[in-house]
Amino acid sequence: WIYDAAYDRYLDLCEAREANQMITHADDVDEIVWIHVGDDLAYDVSGSASCGAKTIYCELDEQRYGQTARQRFDNLSSESQPSWSTNTLKELQNRKRMNTKARNSVTKTLRYLSLLPDALNDILDEEEEAEIMMSAQRSVGVEA
């Protein structure tokens, strides 16, 4: 349901952007950049990236935050699984494969939440630079 909610929100933002452009008749309306922040590689990050989002993977510091997901899926031994886990070995192996594949979907990785504003700004700066480059290429193509 998280995927559906995020995707619906993205579509709402696109629709609002299109409506805004029609009202203002402006080509200089800022592009919407969808950035998903998540701590689940296979579902949060990969799912959002496949819909066009930039992603920030919160692979948080183990000692500071006590995040356990990474240990559960990187080390498949029964000792590394929390007592409440009901995952079978096959499920853990599948999840490990999904996580490995999803690594390619990560735009930025965080170890500390205090770095989130910097990661967001980095992504926005990169998007702005890409937009400037595309605009320059279009103007060169028009003049040629």
Side-chain angles (χ1 to χ4, degrees), residues 13-96:
L13 290 171
C14 288
E15 188 175 305
R17 178 179 163 265
E18 289 171 11
N20 187 31
Q21 283 184 329
M22 288 171 41
I23 292 168
T24 62
H25 303 288
D27 289 332
D28 61 342
V29 175
D30 287 341
E31 291 290 320
I32 293 174
V33 178
W34 174 16
I35 303 173
H36 178 89
V37 181
D39 66 348
D40 186 305
L41 266 172
Y43 296 113
D44 282 355
V45 175
S46 181
S48 296
S50 69
C51 295
K54 300 296 178 182
T55 59
I56 298 176
Y57 173 48
C58 293
E59 188 174 53
L60 301 176
D61 182 72
E62 178 184 343
Q63 291 180 339
R64 183 166 183 181
Y65 298 101
Q67 189 178 32
T68 63
R70 185 171 55 256
Q71 292 81 24
R72 291 197 318 266
F73 302 120
D74 287 350
N75 181 358
L76 303 182
S77 72
S78 59
E79 296 83 35
S80 68
Q81 302 306 308
S83 60
W84 48 261
S85 176
T86 60
N87 289 322
T88 66
L89 180 58
K90 184 174 181 175
E91 289 171 329
L92 292 170
Q93 290 169 336
N94 285 337
R95 185 62 176 273
K96 185 173 183 173

